[in-house]
Amino acid sequence: MSNIKVAIRVRPRTISEATLDHQLTVHMGGNNIVHLHNPAISKTSAKYGWNDKRASSQPRQFAFDYCFPATDGSCASANIASQEKVFEDLGMPVLNSLFDGYNACVLAYGQSGTGKTYTMMGTPLEPGLAPKLCTAIFERITSECGCSNVHRPSFRIEISFMEIYNEKVRDLLEEYSNRGSVQLKIREHPQLGPYVQGLSRHTVEDAAAALGLLKEGVERRSSAATQKNGHSSRSHAVFTVHCTAAWVTGEGLPRETVAKLHLVDLAGSERASCNPVSRLRLKEGALINKSLASLGNVINALAEKASLSKGSISTLNTSSSSTSSINIPSVQTTPSATPRRSQTPFIPYRDSVLTWLLKDSLGGNSKTFLVAAISPSTRAFKETLNTLRFAERAKRVVNEPVINENASVELIHHLTQEVTRLRALFAQSVESNQSNDNSSLIPSENITKLLGANHSKACELTEDWLRKWRRGIGEAISTVHSTPQSTEIGIQTSFPIIMKDLGNVIPAKESKSANRAPVENATSNLGTIDFHSETSCWSDDSLDGSYPTEFRPTTDSHTEYPRMSKLMVQESASIIKPNFHIGESLSAPFSGSFHQQRQSPTPSSKKRISARRVIKTGPDVRTMFKNSGEIQQSRCSSPLSPSLVVTGRPPESFSKRKAFKYIPDQVHPFGISACSQKLPLDNLPSNQDHEIAKVKSNSYDEKMINNDSHKSYQESELASRSVEFVPSSRIGLSSCNSKVNCCCHILHHGSPCKLQHQNFLAQIGYQRNSYCQHDISYQQSRAVPCKSQSFDTILRAELLAIRRRMVARTASPKVAASLRYLTQWQTDSLENPLSIKS
Ligand SMILES: Nc1ncnc2c1ncn2[C@@H]1O[C@H](COP(=O)(O)OP(=O)(O)OP(=O)(O)O)[C@@H](O)[C@H]1O
């Protein structure tokens, strides 16, 4: 239980107020007390000797949680409150709540022109709460991910931004040709509460992307000049940050929290007489006031509910006395909001779109902060008084924030705890029965079975969760960005790299427009870059999103394998943007990955990579590709290496230069992935397919999850890598004049007999390239005269030669047998490729 925290912020006097020497009404004292008096009325009363009992003439005091005096000292306070101070007092607790898994909300409320937008959005020079929070969120993520703790969480941040204009919800992050026609609907989920159907959510990876979206939305927001404010917001804006954190606890249990932060900049209320500009402004103003009045009613009812639950006498009298003739939302106690005292008051959330949408933040599951913005001028005395009264009532509203744990993760916890408890009981009872020699009382087999079932259920759910989490990022993007303007897709498998330009995803009508330029450039620029398989780097680990794969432009030689670092990746990203993309490996380095880059056609966001993700290959990616309809052919690569090869027409420039070649999967040099120890070495069965299927089903992911569900993700990844020799390899070609460089690259993952393998690799001419923490990469490259041979012929010959050398020299009979088997199998398949069933 926690009350809404309320802050009062006074804006400085405007130039005209200062020039006309408006008298001041607000004074901020110690202990966050706000004193309000109207010197103009008091003077008049004194002059005529009136005993003025009018409410507005009485000096008043209000106590709040925070007070932010004006920066020009106009509210007669010793302190002034900068944007930094506001962030420190309000932003930091909000940030902490978000990272603890609580929903949070900051509402800016007040009369038009009092500084709500200034507080929430700020100016370029003085950023407000929203931009500061965007930056702080990613700073926090960097610091949490950077720690050495293996149980550190990984995060997914998604952003949505909408406005409620004339009681209609509009997405501020979507480009519409006719914005007026698009109206989103609010729905209510029984568990998750109200949400906006069809509102886009954008996954962001850094503060710059988040700030870009914020800026984009602010630019699209409805605003107009009014008498009170030259740039008045005509809508309520709701900027939402969804923060999902996932980690594995020390006990090996998954945890996932899903919290959201609403930053709400409400439209300001104003008197109708203040703004006789146009009918449109009049209608806007009326609807703004109506929704703010509904907000007042909700706050009223919630305040009454809180008072009732405390058993105190309802204090609504005070509230209703605040009803005034002016347009600061006069809080009227509607019949629904004034029930009999004995009953819980009805909360009229559905009276307006705003209150329905903020249901969670008002009296629900959220830690909510209200910033009431006021003017110090006597001219705005009545509005200021009403705002302060509203804020005072809001302070009484009680919310019930809870940590938002993922439901299936909660179930896993519950099941695991139950299993542990039952096991302890079981052991205890066996012990006591044995000591009493009362074997008839030993718990039945059924109980053991039940325990087993519960345990496997927990394992199964953990497994699902891991899969979902790793896949989630990509899915989020593919579903949210349902109308991509242009898409480039590249594929990297465990050894070939295939680039495919999917420029034709652009709708035909736009293909000739200037918006097409980046994609066309991308295609033509490809020709200036030589690619070979060595340009792909993998880093290990998986969950925290900092594991990039690199597509890197090279000139002619790839003998020097670059040391991979984040910095380098960033650099190359800036070199190659927007043509290529940086991806991340979410999974095993020897499985394929899917790279996707989308660009919005708006000039402002041309440079922005709004989505870039790598998804592990497997059925999902294949389905995605098929659905996209852009892939000419897709199939599994070597059945022993469950990676995906997507072939497509390479850009013309590539074929001309012969700088790039993708290699049929059949020539995979080893065809062994992490499961090499599973290969049938002794009794090779006659039915090869059967064995292949067996090996496939034991591929990296399955194995890792089945066997290691109780270990942390990182631990299990390392463990699964330690299985056998040569878990992965890549091979590629690049041409340089008349020579072809053939480069074979082996990833050697923390094998138990590392030294032995290192020696072996050295013997057969591989040089070591260490580029990331756990993997050791070896490579060998040879210049082969080109003559008239095709790339494939050279490559196949080279690969077979490599394998034969390995078989001849290997010291390990097990590895030799495995390689011999594969060599034979692959030689056959090379001769008759169609015999391979994928
Ligand atoms: N605390 C402050 N310090 C400096 N300038 C301020 C402050 N508060 C407001 N201002 C300035 O006052 C003007 C009006 O502020 P702003 O647009 O934020 O008001 P608002 O309450 O959002 O108005 P509306 O409801 O009409 O959109 C802006 O020029 C803003 O920069």
Side-chain angles (χ1 to χ4, degrees):
M1 295 274 220
S2 85
N3 281 57
I4 292 185
K5 296 268 180 291
V6 179
I8 302 294
R9 188 171 200 193
V10 189
R11 74 147 163 74
R13 275 186 297 178
T14 60
I15 297 171
S16 70
E17 283 166 357
T19 327
L20 295 172
D21 202 18
H22 279 207
Q23 284 174 303
L24 303 176
T25 55
V26 184
H27 168 81
M28 283 184 167
N31 295 331
N32 296 325
I33 305 281
V34 178
H35 304 267
L36 183 78
H37 76 290
N38 192 343
I41 292 181
S42 308
K43 255 189 209 167
T44 321
S45 306
K47 187 175 168 188
Y48 296 105
W50 294 336
N51 185 10
D52 199 339
K53 290 214 168 77
R54 281 176 296 172
S56 56
S57 68
Q58 303 291 317
R60 289 168 182 278
Q61 282 190 11
F62 300 86
F64 295 103
D65 299 294
Y66 306 93
C67 283
F68 301 119
T71 39
D72 64 350
S74 59
C75 51
S77 166
N79 306 313
I80 54 166
S82 60
Q83 296 282 64
E84 279 68 33
K85 170 79 178 141
V86 175
F87 176 73
E88 216 171 89
D89 285 358
L90 304 184
M92 286 314 285
V94 162
L95 188 74
N96 292 336
S97 307
L98 191 68
F99 279 82
D100 290 344
Y102 290 102
N103 291 339
C105 174
V106 184
L107 283 157
Y109 175 93
Q111 184 200 358
S112 179
T114 47
K116 297 180 294 297
T117 309
Y118 178 82
T119 302
M120 298 306 284
M121 308 297 169
T123 61
L125 290 178
E126 296 164 305
L129 272 176
K132 276 185 188 292
L133 274 166
C134 286
T135 313
I137 285 172
F138 283 96
E139 276 169 8
R140 175 75 70 90
I141 289 177
T142 313
S143 74
E144 294 216 359
C145 290
C147 73
S148 55
N149 184 358
V150 283
H151 306 299
R152 65 189 186 269
S154 53
F155 296 94
R156 183 164 68 234
I157 302 291
E158 291 157 294
I159 280 178
S160 48
F161 199 0
M162 68 182 139
E163 69 172 355
I164 304 169
Y165 176 72
N166 285 353
E167 286 294 286
K168 290 174 189 156
V169 180
R170 296 204 301 208
D171 192 335
L172 290 174
L173 299 181
E174 287 288 348
E175 185 76 13
Y176 299 125
S177 49
N178 177 10
R179 295 182 59 223
S181 64
V182 181
Q183 187 191 337
L184 301 174
K185 295 230 159 52
I186 303 184
R187 302 262 181 258
E188 191 156 354
H189 186 278
Q191 270 93 47
L192 305 174
Y195 67 98
V196 178
Q197 191 179 35
L199 182 70
S200 65
R201 270 200 202 191
H202 301 253
T203 306
V204 285
E205 289 174 351
D206 49 31
L211 292 172
L213 290 174
L214 179 66
K215 190 162 170 264
E216 205 175 302
V218 168
E219 277 166 14
R220 287 197 189 127
R221 190 178 171 192
S222 309
S223 65
T226 63
Q227 201 176 326
K228 287 271 175 200
N229 187 355
H231 195 262
S232 176
S233 314
R234 310 307 294 159
S235 64
H236 308 300
V238 185
F239 180 75
T240 309
V241 181
H242 304 262
C243 174
T244 312
W247 70 101
V248 181
T249 63
E251 297 86 47
L253 289 173
R255 291 287 307 270
E256 184 179 329
T257 56
V258 189
K260 65 175 180 238
L261 163 64
H262 286 313
L263 298 173
V264 188
D265 179 14
L266 296 170
S269 58
E270 69 210 28
R271 290 179 214 181
S273 58
C274 273
N275 187 25
V277 191
S278 69
R279 286 179 69 141
L280 179 66
R281 295 285 94 83
L282 213 61
K283 186 185 164 200
E284 277 171 0
L287 286 168
I288 289 170
N289 289 336
K290 184 175 166 261
S291 64
L292 290 176
S294 308
L295 178 66
N297 290 336
V298 166
I299 294 286
N300 236 9
L302 286 167
E304 189 194 6
K305 186 179 161 191
S307 311
L308 285 176
S309 68
K310 271 189 188 169
S312 64
I313 302 162
S314 167
T315 47
L316 265 181
N317 299 342
T318 339
S319 318
S320 41
S321 69
S322 70
T323 308
S324 79
S325 57
I326 57 163
N327 271 337
I328 276 288
S330 46
V331 180
Q332 290 150 6
T333 45
T334 59
S336 54
T338 52
R340 266 171 284 147
R341 297 234 167 98
S342 55
Q343 289 171 0
T344 314
F346 170 74
I347 318 293
Y349 286 117
R350 293 215 180 188
D351 274 7
S352 78
V353 172
L354 176 72
T355 46
W356 189 9
L357 208 63
L358 295 180
K359 189 177 169 191
D360 257 357
S361 310
L362 304 168
N365 171 19
S366 169
K367 292 195 177 185
T368 300
F369 293 76
L370 176 88
V371 187
I374 53 174
S375 150
S377 162
T378 33
R379 282 226 175 151
F381 179 80
K382 282 183 181 174
E383 288 90 338
T384 304
L385 180 61
N386 278 336
T387 303
L388 291 175
R389 281 173 173 163
F390 173 88
E392 196 180 43
R393 280 192 302 276
K395 224 176 62 174
R396 298 210 303 267
V397 174
V398 179
N399 282 0
E400 292 175 15
V402 290
I403 293 179
N404 299 290
E405 190 94 46
N406 177 311
S408 49
V409 167
E410 247 175 333
L411 184 63
I412 295 172
H413 279 240
H414 178 75
L415 279 172
T416 316
Q417 272 165 12
E418 193 59 14
V419 166
T420 319
R421 195 181 64 86
L422 287 174
R423 277 207 178 126
L425 277 177
F426 185 83
Q428 222 176 9
S429 86
V430 169
E431 216 169 80
S432 65
N433 288 333
Q434 274 172 351
S435 62
N436 295 339
D437 199 21
N438 191 353
S439 52
S440 63
L441 288 176
I442 288 178
S444 72
E445 218 175 83
N446 283 349
I447 298 178
T448 327
K449 271 189 191 155
L450 200 69
L451 267 177
N454 272 352
H455 177 69
S456 25
K457 181 81 188 152
C459 293
E460 205 179 292
L461 287 169
T462 310
E463 194 178 298
D464 277 356
W465 175 79
L466 274 170
R467 269 205 206 109
K468 206 179 102 203
W469 173 248
R470 279 179 294 139
R471 233 188 271 144
I473 295 173
E475 273 170 8
I477 284 176
S478 65
T479 51
V480 166
H481 295 264
S482 50
T483 50
Q485 304 304 317
S486 74
T487 308
E488 287 173 58
I489 292 181
I491 283 289
Q492 180 186 356
T493 69
S494 54
F495 71 102
I497 295 177
I498 290 139
M499 297 303 303
K500 180 164 169 18
D501 171 27
L502 293 182
N504 53 352
V505 173
I506 298 172
K509 61 177 173 37
E510 285 181 16
S511 63
K512 287 202 174 74
S513 72
N515 296 337
R516 181 74 199 274
V519 177
E520 281 168 357
N521 287 345
T523 313
S524 57
N525 283 351
L526 291 178
T528 65
I529 300 167
D530 287 354
F531 279 91
H532 52 80
S533 64
E534 305 305 313
T535 54
S536 63
C537 296
W538 295 95
S539 127
D540 60 331
D541 294 342
S542 60
L543 282 176
D544 78 6
S546 59
Y547 317 105
T549 300
E550 186 195 12
F551 278 101
R552 189 169 155 271
T554 61
T555 48
D556 57 348
S557 155
H558 51 258
T559 47
E560 254 188 43
Y561 200 94
R563 238 185 135 68
M564 193 183 94
S565 71
K566 248 183 159 179
L567 188 70
M568 192 178 77
V569 170
Q570 275 156 12
E571 274 172 12
S572 44
S574 64
I575 297 167
I576 60 183
K577 254 198 281 185
N579 304 336
F580 281 94
H581 28 266
I582 302 302
E584 298 158 358
S585 163
L586 291 177
S587 184
F590 31 80
S591 53
S593 60
F594 163 74
H595 294 242
Q596 184 178 42
Q597 176 183 350
R598 290 167 197 273
Q599 291 168 328
S600 160
T602 55
S604 61
S605 54
K606 250 181 209 167
K607 284 183 224 115
R608 200 185 81 223
I609 297 182
S610 57
R612 48 171 212 252
R613 291 290 187 222
V614 178
I615 304 158
K616 189 187 171 304
T617 54
D620 308 306
V621 175
R622 239 168 287 149
T623 318
M624 269 176 77
F625 272 43
K626 270 184 193 151
N627 291 344
S628 82
E630 299 302 330
I631 301 302
Q632 294 165 358
Q633 187 192 351
S634 80
R635 61 200 162 109
C636 257
S637 67
S638 164
L640 293 174
S641 160
S643 56
L644 179 78
V645 175
V646 175
T647 54
R649 177 179 48 82
E652 243 173 56
S653 44
F654 266 171
S655 5
K656 273 186 205 146
R657 290 172 56 91
K658 288 198 175 173
F660 172 83
K661 187 74 187 168
Y662 45 92
I663 306 143
D665 50 299
Q666 294 94 319
V667 293
H668 192 296
F670 309 107
I672 309 172
S673 75
C675 48
S676 58
Q677 88 282 22
K678 303 275 180 193
L679 279 173
L681 298 173
D682 304 321
N683 301 316
L684 285 182
S686 53
N687 184 350
Q688 223 176 54
D689 285 344
H690 169 74
E691 283 309 312
I692 288 164
K694 200 167 145 192
V695 171
K696 262 176 93 175
S697 74
N698 279 313
S699 68
Y700 182 84
D701 273 313
E702 265 83 13
K703 194 168 69 55
M704 179 190 78
I705 291 164
N706 290 340
N707 297 349
D708 302 302
S709 53
H710 284 284
K711 291 185 182 175
S712 79
Y713 191 93
Q714 284 88 350
E715 277 169 357
S716 60
E717 187 171 57
L718 281 181
S720 67
R721 283 175 178 191
S722 315
V723 288
E724 250 298 347
F725 181 49
V726 197
S728 168
S729 61
R730 295 177 205 157
I731 189 144
L733 294 172
S734 72
S735 75
C736 177
N737 301 326
S738 60
K739 292 234 175 116
V740 173
N741 264 325
C742 181
C743 184
C744 188
H745 167 226
I746 294 176
L747 290 180
H748 173 75
H749 302 283
S751 157
C753 31
K754 202 157 137 183
L755 208 63
Q756 189 193 338
H757 294 150
Q758 277 173 8
N759 290 340
F760 169 65
L761 287 169
Q763 267 179 31
I764 58 167
Y766 275 76
Q767 285 142 29
R768 184 182 154 173
N769 289 288
S770 169
Y771 64 85
C772 63
Q773 221 184 344
H774 303 295
D775 296 345
I776 298 172
S777 126
Y778 290 87
Q779 74 168 47
Q780 111 175 151
S781 78
R782 259 169 34 103
V784 183
C786 206
K787 295 191 187 155
S788 58
Q789 288 165 305
S790 76
F791 272 62
D792 279 4
T793 320
I794 300 168
L795 194 74
R796 286 170 194 216
E798 193 62 19
L799 286 170
L800 285 174
I802 291 171
R803 277 205 304 269
R804 284 194 187 113
R805 281 209 298 279
M806 288 187 89
V807 174
R809 296 197 198 181
T810 182
S812 151
K814 207 173 161 191
V815 172
S818 145
L819 286 171
R820 217 172 288 126
Y821 163 64
L822 280 161
T823 309
Q824 187 53 47
W825 183 78
Q826 288 187 334
T827 314
D828 293 347
S829 61
L830 283 178
E831 278 155 17
N832 183 13
L834 292 178
S835 69
I836 294 187
K837 287 181 188 162
S838 56

